[in-house]
Amino acid sequence: MLNALIVEDDAEVAAILRDLVEIDGRLRVVAIADDAASSALAVTEHRIDCALVDIQLAHQSSGYGIACDLTRHGIVCLFVTGHAPPFPIPEFALGCISKPWSVNAVSQALDAIVAARGGGEGPSAPAPGFSEFQRY
């Protein structure tokens, strides 16, 4: 089972996402952070394999910067946001789930995370609301 970090500044949204991820059964959420500082702390306190990262966060933190830092630590990232990037950023994240998300979009995003960590095949055809970024 992979250990996941959720980086989301809305506690209710983070709790719902945590429940969806854990019901799926392939990931265990070991920490929830709401900004860059708490995300960095989570990395020091837990072994994290992947992260689901909102882009606009508390305390003027940027999900882009957080994803960049997490990627440097070998952590696979996925954006979960209401403000999807205007173009793919495969250097920072595997893809993006657009809010409001669907259960199918979350499930297919988890397929991509598990595949990226060497544990299976990625999604066959992305569900509406999930965009997988392709490396060039």
Side-chain angles (χ1 to χ4, degrees):
M1 183 173 292
L2 298 174
N3 289 333
L5 165 65
I6 293 175
V7 185
E8 168 62 62
D9 61 342
D10 183 319
E12 187 175 325
V13 171
I16 293 167
L17 185 56
R18 179 199 60 223
D19 291 346
L20 285 174
V21 167
E22 290 189 341
I23 286 169
D24 179 81
R26 295 177 285 177
L27 279 67
R28 173 181 44 246
V29 176
V30 296
I32 296 176
D34 67 354
D35 62 8
S38 58
S39 172
L41 182 62
V43 171
T44 65
E45 293 179 343
H46 303 280
R47 183 185 62 81
I48 297 172
D49 301 302
C50 58
L52 295 100
V53 182
D54 189 8
I55 291 176
Q56 293 183 339
L57 296 161
H59 310 113
Q60 300 180 345
S61 293
S62 165
Y64 295 119
I66 291 170
C68 181
D69 291 342
L70 294 173
T71 300
R72 285 187 200 134
H73 285 89
I75 297 169
V76 173
C77 293
L78 180 79
F79 291 127
V80 182
T81 184
H83 306 281
F87 50 84
I89 310 173
E91 298 81 11
F92 293 167
L94 291 175
C96 182
I97 303 172
S98 297
K99 293 178 187 173
W101 60 73
S102 70
V103 173
N104 286 342
V106 171
S107 179
Q108 289 199 345
L110 299 181
D111 289 346
I113 289 172
V114 171
R117 297 299 297 187
E121 294 184 24
S124 55
F130 172 58
S131 302
E132 189 170 9
F133 300 158
Q134 301 296 317
R135 291 210 178 264
Y136 300 104

